Amino acid sequence: EANHPDVLTPLLNEYIDGMIEIVFEHGGTLDKIVGDALVVMFSAPIEMADHAERGVRCAARMDAFADAYSEAQKAKGIAFGHTRVGVNTGMAVVGNFGGQNLFDYTALGDAINTAARLESVNKHLGTRICVSESTVAGCPNFTGRPVGALVLKGKTYAINVFEALSPIEAGSPGIAAYNEAFAMMEQSDPGALDLFTRLQTTQPEDPLVKFHLERLRRGDTGVTITMDEK
């Protein structure tokens, strides 16, 4: 609304072009562009044994690029928000879908819907990259921290979700303290509230600390969280 098309068009083209380049560098397949979002798949049409690791590495690189791009635009006086990424691993039907006049090579299935939900749930958590447990299971060197067992919008069962972090971030004292508090919360230990309260003092900008502290103050326990919104 605030930007003229003459400004918006090259802005988004440069952003999307940079993101697609990263996808191709990691061997990903661009499924489609939806507005300013990308739908990307790995291990199709060519199977890849390390598809989960490629997906997580690609997400981290996209996050770094998007963050730098956003800051560069803000320096020019152009408001540019955060990029959210969801990564999931699972079976999907991949092929040409459509009618006689038009078809589209794409992937369909619950695994695809879950990836989309993981992307959007970032806005409620304050995170930027959410990765499912099925993806983490395929990444021996994954570094990150637990978010919780999320029942995503429209889903019946909870899945364990993790926030992807760099090795330096994952090894920091702040993340170690978060993991300790999360473990207590996982056991429904009342002491988790005190730990998260102290964490808010030392890590006031940590979105997951804020998210869980608000839950605990409402009287919630455990780490299973039903998301009512996409």
Side-chain angles (χ1 to χ4, degrees), residues 13-190:
N13 282 344
E14 184 180 9
Y15 167 75
I16 291 173
D17 191 48
M19 296 293 262
I20 292 175
E21 184 176 343
I22 293 168
V23 171
F24 291 162
E25 286 174 356
H26 289 80
T29 299
L30 178 64
D31 184 333
K32 59 177 68 71
I33 300 172
V34 183
D36 59 356
L38 304 183
V39 181
V40 178
M41 55 186 171
F42 289 83
S43 205
I46 300 173
E47 291 189 25
M48 300 171 174
D50 61 343
H51 55 85
E53 291 179 297
R54 285 174 181 264
V56 172
R57 288 198 300 268
C58 181
R61 181 68 187 88
M62 293 170 83
D63 178 66
F65 168 81
D67 187 53
Y69 191 79
S70 176
E71 291 304 314
Q73 300 313 311
K74 289 176 183 177
K76 299 176 185 177
I78 300 173
F80 200 93
H82 294 301
T83 294
R84 300 185 296 267
V85 185
V87 188
N88 184 46
T89 300
M91 298 298 294
V93 179
V94 182
N96 294 324
F97 294 87
Q100 294 182 346
N101 297 318
L102 178 68
F103 63 82
D104 182 29
Y105 179 78
T106 188
L108 299 176
D110 183 64
I112 310 304
N113 294 336
T114 297
R117 293 289 188 271
L118 288 172
E119 179 274 324
S120 62
V121 82
N122 281 290
K123 64 187 174 186
H124 303 295
L125 302 171
T127 51
R128 297 209 299 248
I129 306 176
C130 275
V131 183
S132 71
E133 59 185 313
S134 58
T135 299
V136 171
C139 301
N141 299 313
F142 177 83
T143 54
R145 61 174 169 174
V147 171
L150 306 186
V151 182
L152 299 168
K153 177 69 173 178
K155 304 297 181 182
T156 304
Y157 303 103
I159 61 169
N160 291 313
V161 176
F162 300 81
E163 180 189 23
L165 300 171
S166 70
I168 293 176
E169 290 172 326
S172 69
I175 297 301
Y178 170 87
N179 289 335
E180 179 185 358
F182 185 89
M184 291 185 69
M185 183 171 62
E186 195 170 25
Q187 299 300 317
S188 296
D189 189 324

Side-chain angles (χ1 to χ4, degrees), residues 214-228:
E214 289 177 351
R215 290 182 55 243
L216 293 172
R217 284 175 171 170
R218 289 196 304 265
D220 293 349
T221 58
V223 297
T224 300
I225 307 161
T226 300
M227 307 304 299
D228 296 324

